[in-house]
């Protein structure tokens, strides 16, 4: 059951003698319908335990729904302009590639990456990045899953939870305010805070945990030429200049830890109201050499896809690449998601379902009264795990995302990715995103914790 549905149930119990607001009734019905749709979908999907990796890409439904990418792009605008039941789409895209094969992939960063090169890019004008005493290597203890006194530095205030499962290289330019830059050897993730705001508790993420954006922009679809906001210091920063700054930064700095070569572009900008003026949060998408775009998201795999992993159903692993800037041309906080490389082509995938067919499948799968207004519908690569090797402890299935990344059979597959208008969330907020497999037509719903 959804966390949000549980909250609504508590509201209804507490106000049993009062009239339940209509919007609560509507939302409750919507969440129940989505839960039922996900349950019914589980029956339709083949069990990865009985299907080989080569068979996973061969199941198709009505072949008349399938066509090539040129035809799909030629009819994107037409398909997106239609209403499918109560489902609508604002923006649509299908990349630039001629084909989107299914590949088996392996997670791992660039073994030749020099971590000091990244620290010089970020901190070179403020700190002595050649000072070896500011660096440390924290080895992963394979016998333990929690940090120990030997691996946990006493002055450490913050560390991403997933870092405890890898050997990591850390750089602390200032131990007093919690500044940190880290790199994991195993999967190539980079994350950190330059200004130390994560330690002193500025309200833009510590107190409010990613507050609802004041405004959201999609640079690939919208003209943002005349848009600007005052940063925390009061300095105006044009959105076009901010997007260029982040893209240049990412492609010069963080892309160096990728095993394969990717180009990064800003996919979404959220404008966040701070205690003083505004800050930007940038979400970046990556493109490979063929022009294929890869899905990026911030959904929490531990709660939102965990049960699918435990039940050996196909689930998603979406790397997140995002950055916060609360001052002009200053990287405040960043996370560069894990790296991976293609190791084997599984299927060519020359024909795909159209956007219209994907939306029709959503309409038929979900209850007809659900009103879904999607900001974007995009044909993208999505990273999937098709079978999780269970680890049982006292009859309880234990799932760890980092164990999965290094032991599971992982693939990139083409999906139609539908992101809703209220698609911004973190651990305190919840939303639902919808995916339609462009090869099989299966509907996958992300946003449930049952």
């Amino acid at each position: 059951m959804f966390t949000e549905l549980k909250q609504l149930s508590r509201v209804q119990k507490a106000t049993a003698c009062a009239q339940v607001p209509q919007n609560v009734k509507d939302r409750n019905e919507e969440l129940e319908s989505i839960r039922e749709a996900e349950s019914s979908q589980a029956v339709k999907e083949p069990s990865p335990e009985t299907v080989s990796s080569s068979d996973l890409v061969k199941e198709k439904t009505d072949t008349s729904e399938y066509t090539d990418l040129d035809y799909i792009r030629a009819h994107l605008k037409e398909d997106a302009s239609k209403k499918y039941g109560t489902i609508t789409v604002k923006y649509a895209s299908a990349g630039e590639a001629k084909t989107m094969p299914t590949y088996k992939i392996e997670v791992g960063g660039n073994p030749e990456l020099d971590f000091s090169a990244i620290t010089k890019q970020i901190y070179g004008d403020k700190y002595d990045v050649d000072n070896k005493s500011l660096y440390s290597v924290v080895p992963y203890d394979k016998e333990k899953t929690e940090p120990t006194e030997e691996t946990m530095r006493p002055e450490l205030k913050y560390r991403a939870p997933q870092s405890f499962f890898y050997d990591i290289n850390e750089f602390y330019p200032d131990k007093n305010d919690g500044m940190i830059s880290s790199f994991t050897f195993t999967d190539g993730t980079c994350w950190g805070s330059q200004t130390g705001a994560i330690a002193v508790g500025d309200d833009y993420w510590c107190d409010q945990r990613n507050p609802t954006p004041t405004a959201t922009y999609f640079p690939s679809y919208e003209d943002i030429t005349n848009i600007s906001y005052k940063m925390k210091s009061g300095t105006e920063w044009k959105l076009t200049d901010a997007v260029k700054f982040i893209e240049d930064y990412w492609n010069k700095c963080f892309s160096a830890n990728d095993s394969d070569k990717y180009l990064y572009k800003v996919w979404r900008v959220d404008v966040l109201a701070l205690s003083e003026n505004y800050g930007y949060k940038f979400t970046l998408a990556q493109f490979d050499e063929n022009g294929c775009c890869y899905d990026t998201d911030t959904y929490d795999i531990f709660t939102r896809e965990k049960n699918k992993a435990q039940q050996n159903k196909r689930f998603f692993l979406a790397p997140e690449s995002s950055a916060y800037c609360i001052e002009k041309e200053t990287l405040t906080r960043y996370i560069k998601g894990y790296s991976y490389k293609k190791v084997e082509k599984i299927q060519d995938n020359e024909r795909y379902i159209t956007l219209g067919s994907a939306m029709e499948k959503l309409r038929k799968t979900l209850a007809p009264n659900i009103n879904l207004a999607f900001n974007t519908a995009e044909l993208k690569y999505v990273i999937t795990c098709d079978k999780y090797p269970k680890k049982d402890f006292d009859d309880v299935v234990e799932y760890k995302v980092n164990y999965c990344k290094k032991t599971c059979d992982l693939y990139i597959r083409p999906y139609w990715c539908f992101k809703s208008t209220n698609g911004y969330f973190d651990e305190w907020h919840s939303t639902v995103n919808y995916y339609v497999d462009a090869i099989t037509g299966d509907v996958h719903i992300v946003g449930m914790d049952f």
Side-chain angles (χ1 to χ4, degrees):
M1 188 68 67
F2 291 106
T3 299
E4 186 172 351
L5 185 55
K6 294 175 183 176
Q7 293 170 345
L8 290 175
S9 297
R10 288 195 291 270
V11 171
Q12 290 172 320
K13 290 177 181 178
T15 59
C17 296
Q19 180 67 33
V20 179
Q22 185 61 41
N23 65 326
V24 174
K25 289 182 179 179
D26 293 343
R27 183 58 176 156
N28 208 349
E29 292 175 358
E30 176 183 338
L31 295 174
E32 284 283 11
S33 299
I34 297 171
R35 180 190 62 80
E36 293 171 0
E38 177 70 3
S39 298
S40 65
Q41 187 64 27
V43 177
K44 298 177 184 178
E45 291 183 353
S47 170
E49 294 180 340
T50 59
V51 181
S52 68
S53 60
S54 60
D55 290 335
L56 283 168
V57 295
K58 293 180 180 178
E59 332 103 23
K60 291 186 180 181
T61 52
D62 182 0
T63 55
S64 65
E65 299 174 330
Y66 292 78
T67 184
D68 58 45
L69 290 174
D70 288 337
Y71 181 92
I72 288 174
R73 294 189 188 100
H75 292 80
L76 269 180
K77 188 174 181 180
E78 175 186 347
D79 287 349
S81 66
K82 298 176 182 177
K83 189 173 184 179
Y84 299 80
T86 57
I87 301 175
T88 59
V89 165
K90 188 174 182 180
Y91 305 118
S93 69
E96 300 175 357
K98 292 296 183 183
T99 183
M100 298 179 71
T102 297
Y103 288 96
K104 185 175 182 180
I105 64 170
E106 289 181 355
V107 169
N110 178 4
E112 299 180 358
L113 176 71
D114 180 4
F115 179 60
S116 64
I118 292 181
T119 59
K120 288 178 182 179
Q121 174 79 13
I122 301 172
Y123 304 101
D125 59 342
K126 295 184 178 182
Y127 299 97
D128 179 11
V129 295
D130 294 320
N131 183 352
K132 300 301 181 183
S133 68
L134 300 181
Y135 292 85
S136 69
V137 175
V138 182
Y140 165 51
D141 186 345
K142 296 182 179 180
E143 300 301 320
K144 300 176 181 178
T145 57
E146 296 297 331
T148 64
E149 292 183 1
E150 292 76 22
T151 61
M152 186 74 168
R153 289 173 52 166
E155 70 272 19
L156 180 62
K157 298 179 181 180
Y158 292 92
R159 182 186 289 162
Q162 66 268 26
S163 68
F164 297 127
F165 298 94
Y166 297 123
D167 290 330
I168 60 176
N169 194 332
E170 297 177 333
F171 175 70
Y172 280 83
D174 190 332
K175 297 181 177 65
N176 294 322
D177 64 5
M179 294 185 186
I180 177 175
S181 180
S182 297
F183 166 72
T184 63
F185 296 119
T186 309
D187 73 346
T189 302
C190 289
W191 68 90
S193 166
Q194 182 176 2
T195 66
I198 188 172
V200 299
D202 194 292
D203 63 2
Y204 77 107
W205 68 63
C206 277
D207 295 339
Q208 298 180 24
R209 300 282 185 172
N210 289 334
T212 301
T214 299
T216 297
Y217 300 95
F218 295 88
S220 298
Y221 303 108
E222 301 178 87
D223 182 5
I224 59 173
T225 305
N226 298 317
I227 298 172
S228 66
Y229 288 85
K230 286 185 178 180
M231 298 291 100
K232 190 173 179 64
S233 63
T235 304
E236 288 275 349
W237 197 11
K238 290 185 64 177
L239 197 53
T240 50
D241 294 339
V243 167
K244 184 178 186 305
F245 169 77
I246 287 296
E247 290 180 344
D248 289 347
Y249 210 117
W250 225 261
N251 288 301
K252 289 178 182 177
C253 182
F254 296 115
S255 64
N257 73 338
D258 286 325
S259 300
D260 292 344
K261 181 65 177 176
Y262 296 100
L263 175 69
Y264 289 85
K265 299 179 183 179
V266 171
W267 176 72
R268 172 177 177 148
V269 183
D270 292 300
V271 181
L272 306 181
L274 310 181
S275 54
E276 298 177 12
N277 300 317
Y278 299 92
Y280 293 140
K281 180 189 177 183
F282 306 89
T283 301
L284 293 100
Q286 63 190 89
F287 295 79
D288 63 19
E289 70 281 2
N290 297 319
C292 296
C293 184
Y294 291 69
D295 186 42
T296 183
D297 218 323
T298 55
Y299 51 75
D300 180 4
I301 187 69
F302 288 99
T303 59
R304 301 169 72 82
E305 294 276 83
K306 180 178 180 178
N307 286 346
K308 291 176 182 175
Q310 291 173 334
Q311 298 168 31
N312 267 342
K313 299 177 183 177
R314 179 179 297 162
F315 63 96
F316 294 167
L317 290 169
E320 175 190 359
S321 289
S322 61
Y324 290 85
C325 294
I326 64 173
E327 301 291 358
K328 182 178 180 180
E329 296 183 357
T330 300
L331 193 65
T332 303
R333 188 187 187 195
Y334 56 90
I335 178 168
K336 160 67 176 62
Y338 60 87
S339 301
Y340 46 87
K341 61 181 179 180
K342 303 170 184 174
V343 295
E344 180 185 359
K345 183 190 289 187
I346 303 298
Q347 185 82 5
D348 284 329
N349 300 337
E350 296 179 353
R351 297 173 68 81
Y352 316 81
I353 65 171
T354 64
L355 173 59
S357 296
M359 294 182 70
E360 184 65 17
K361 287 184 179 296
L362 278 183
R363 185 190 69 80
K364 291 180 178 179
T365 301
L366 303 176
N369 61 332
I370 295 181
N371 187 2
L372 295 175
F374 292 111
N375 262 336
T376 57
E378 300 173 310
L379 185 58
K380 291 182 175 182
Y381 269 141
V382 177
I383 297 174
T384 69
C385 176
D386 288 332
K387 182 180 180 180
Y388 180 71
K390 296 180 180 180
K391 296 177 66 179
D392 295 347
F393 299 93
D394 299 326
D395 297 324
V396 176
V397 177
E398 180 176 337
Y399 167 70
K400 296 188 181 299
V401 63
N402 298 293
Y403 172 81
C404 164
K405 286 192 293 187
K406 297 303 293 184
T407 59
C408 292
D409 288 336
L410 303 180
Y411 304 88
I412 50 175
R413 299 168 56 90
Y415 278 81
W416 282 103
C417 307
F418 296 87
K419 304 298 175 71
S420 59
T421 302
N422 63 338
Y424 185 90
F425 58 84
D426 58 22
E427 64 252 61
W428 300 111
H429 298 81
S430 179
T431 192
V432 182
N433 290 331
Y434 304 82
Y435 296 78
V436 178
D437 192 314
I439 306 303
T440 68
D442 291 335
V443 175
H444 190 112
I445 306 171
V446 175
M448 303 183 189
D449 57 0
F450 63 88

